[in-house]
Amino acid sequence: MHRIVFLGPPGAGKGTQAATLAKELGIPHLSTGDLLRTAVRARSPLGQEAEGYMRAGRLVPDDLVLRLLRERLAAPEAARGFLLDGFPRNRAQAEALEAVTPVDRVVAFEIDPTILVQRLSDRRVCPVCAAVYNLTSQPPKQDLLCDRDQAPLDHRPDDRPEAIRTRLEVYRQETAPLEAFYRERGLLRPVRADGTPAEVAARLRTVVEEGMPGATRTTSPPTKRPSQ
Ligand code: AP5
């Protein structure tokens, strides 16, 4: 059983690593950011309510996020475990999660904030398959087109300078204190998130496999977030 939480600031590489690791472990990658962006694109009532908060880089109200996530955690695919990416984001969400399910590991991505701004400014995403690129570190083969489906890549509205600043501040104030919350419970495992994606993946492997005999991994497939 792998019940894993990824904790880390915007741009630390959580989504990039989660997509690969979840696939290798055969567990669902539950990204609240991806679930919310899907709701926004679908123009659902929840998506319409969430959109303004996301665009500004602020947290979406807890009740909306919990509504989206509870259903995913209760689905049969999550019976063998899950990888939570972007949740919990504050103490209320961490307590709500504890009330629903135990977790085995909380991986804290550690990285210099100056690297984050550069990574987020250069990120581009495919609106069709949700693949994540970076103009500097992981560029598409053809200029600004997705390698898989040739769709023009998007620049996330919250990857613009002002929203990035807000997201980093929200992280510092609301989410970073969760490191202490999980350290007290003996679940926190820090991982350095600088270096190449392959280097980060190797560090993660060590942390995830520690004390988990069932954690077999195959060779790494390309980074792709699951379509919702
Ligand atoms: P969310 O989508 O969760 O955004 P985030 O936490 O800010 O995380 P990011 O997706 O920005 O970064 P990441 O760490 O996944 O980095 P990535 O792998 O893409 O949330 C968005 C918004 O939704 C929130 O602001 C909020 O409004 C709302 N929301 C979501 N969850 C919520 C919740 N629980 N409660 C309330 N509101 C919520 O990598 C970034 C870039 O770097 C990419 O270009 C990638 O290619 C590149 N990269 C990755 N790794 C490396 C590497 N090792 N070297 C070089 N480049 C790399």
Side-chain angles (χ1 to χ4, degrees), residues 168-188:
L168 290 171
E169 185 55 20
V170 166
Y171 184 82
R172 195 180 66 76
Q173 288 193 11
E174 303 208 35
T175 312
L178 293 182
E179 290 191 14
F181 179 93
Y182 285 117
R183 191 177 298 114
E184 280 164 20
R185 286 155 177 76
L187 297 173
L188 196 76

Side-chain angles (χ1 to χ4, degrees), residues 8-17 31-34 36-37 53-54 57-62 65 85-89 93 119-120 122-124 132-134 137-138 156 158-159 167 193-197 200 225:
K14 303 178 300 296
T16 299
Q17 297 294 335
S31 157
T32 43
D34 284 348
L36 286 164
R37 279 184 288 277
Y53 295 97
M54 297 178 74
R58 290 163 50 211
L59 292 185
V60 171
D62 294 342
V65 180
D85 160 17
F87 184 94
R89 288 288 241 266
Q93 292 184 7
R119 282 189 187 175
L120 291 171
D122 288 349
R123 174 165 56 189
R124 297 293 182 275
V132 177
Y133 296 88
N134 190 283
S137 59
Q138 291 162 289
R156 266 171 53 173
D158 59 347
D159 278 347
R167 288 159 67 201
D194 57 348
T196 65
V200 180
R225 297 194 182 183

